[in-house]
């Protein structure tokens, strides 16, 4: 064998050497890639927050700031047969107002919890928010049918519209894929 045979790559500069490549990063929403939240989920999140805020503001204006409404409720209770006369009308109005503040706080707190959990990929929160939106829409339609177009119902219309908008975005194709990817990751742990 002839030892004078030379390597054809010996005379080439180092730029011709085969470069070393790093492996590509994993794809988003795959088994090892980062879980990327789609824009539809962010839109559903914002619509759900808007629905919660409108519902809270509506309740505050309707129940707490309308003194006549609360006073009428207290009078109805005091005038009902078998009512305990241990409270004055003013005391009963204050009890109603405190109860309403607590109720509004619980409403806002739970809706925020469900909204943030939905945004984090929890399917159960998506289902609960869907149920709330459907109940809100049905409540609005029922009130509209019985009372006509009153000003107080415009709050309910806005709340129901944002709630239904959130539901539509929560069930889009990319949203469903996001919830499925989150579920699969949790099952693998």
């Amino acid at each position: 064998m002839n030892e004078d045979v030379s390597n054809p790559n010996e005379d080439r500069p180092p730029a011709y050497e085969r470069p070393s490549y790093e492996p590509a990063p994993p794809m988003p929403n795959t088994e090892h890639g980062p879980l990327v939240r789609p824009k539809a989920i962010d839109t559903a999140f914002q619509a759900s927050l808007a629905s919660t805020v409108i519902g809270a503001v509506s309740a505050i204006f309707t129940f707490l700031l309308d003194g006549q409404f609360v006073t009428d409720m207290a009078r109805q209770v005091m005038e009902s047969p078998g009512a305990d006369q241990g409270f004055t009308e003013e005391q009963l109005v204050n009890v109603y107002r405190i109860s309403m503040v607590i109720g509004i706080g619980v409403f806002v707190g739970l809706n925020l919890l469900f909204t943030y959990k939905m945004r984090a990929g929890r399917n159960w929160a998506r289902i609960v928010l869907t149920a709330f939106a459907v109940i809100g829409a049905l409540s609005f339609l029922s009130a509209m049918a019985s009372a006509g177009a009153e000003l107080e119902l415009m709050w309910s219309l806005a709340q129901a519209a944002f709630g239904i908008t959130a539901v539509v975005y929560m069930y889009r194709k990319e949203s469903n894929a996001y919830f499925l990817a989150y579920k699969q990751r949790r099952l693998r742990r």
Side-chain angles (χ1 to χ4, degrees), residues 9-172:
N9 292 327
E10 271 180 23
D11 298 334
R12 292 188 180 170
Y16 289 103
E17 292 178 7
R18 177 175 260 173
S20 64
Y21 293 106
E22 293 182 25
M27 295 291 292
N29 295 349
T30 60
E31 185 174 333
H32 300 291
L35 192 59
V36 177
R37 187 174 43 246
K39 178 79 172 128
I41 293 295
D42 289 333
T43 304
F45 174 77
Q46 293 167 352
S48 187
L49 285 180
S51 177
T52 301
V53 168
I54 290 170
V57 169
S58 169
I60 289 169
F61 278 113
T62 303
F63 299 119
L64 295 179
L65 298 181
D66 186 1
Q68 189 61 43
F69 175 79
V70 178
T71 304
D72 290 344
M73 281 179 41
R75 284 186 185 143
Q76 284 178 348
V77 168
M78 292 185 75
E79 294 170 359
S80 65
D84 183 16
Q85 298 299 326
F87 288 108
T88 65
E89 183 178 307
E90 184 178 329
Q91 289 173 329
L92 201 53
V93 165
N94 288 334
V95 167
Y96 277 138
R97 285 195 172 143
I98 291 169
S99 299
M100 288 178 196
V101 166
I102 292 170
I104 292 168
V106 168
F107 163 79
V108 169
L110 286 175
N111 272 336
L112 288 176
L113 171 72
F114 298 144
T115 300
Y116 277 96
K117 291 296 184 179
M118 178 276 302
R119 186 178 184 210
R122 305 299 201 286
N123 194 47
W124 61 266
R126 175 171 71 156
I127 293 168
V128 170
L129 288 173
T130 300
F132 283 176
V134 168
I135 290 169
L138 292 175
S139 173
F140 168 74
L141 292 174
S142 172
M144 191 70 152
S146 66
E150 294 181 8
L151 182 59
E152 291 88 20
L153 291 178
M154 292 305 116
W155 291 102
S156 295
L157 171 63
Q159 183 182 6
F162 278 111
I164 295 300
T165 301
V167 169
V168 168
Y169 280 100
M170 284 188 290
Y171 286 92
R172 292 184 62 165

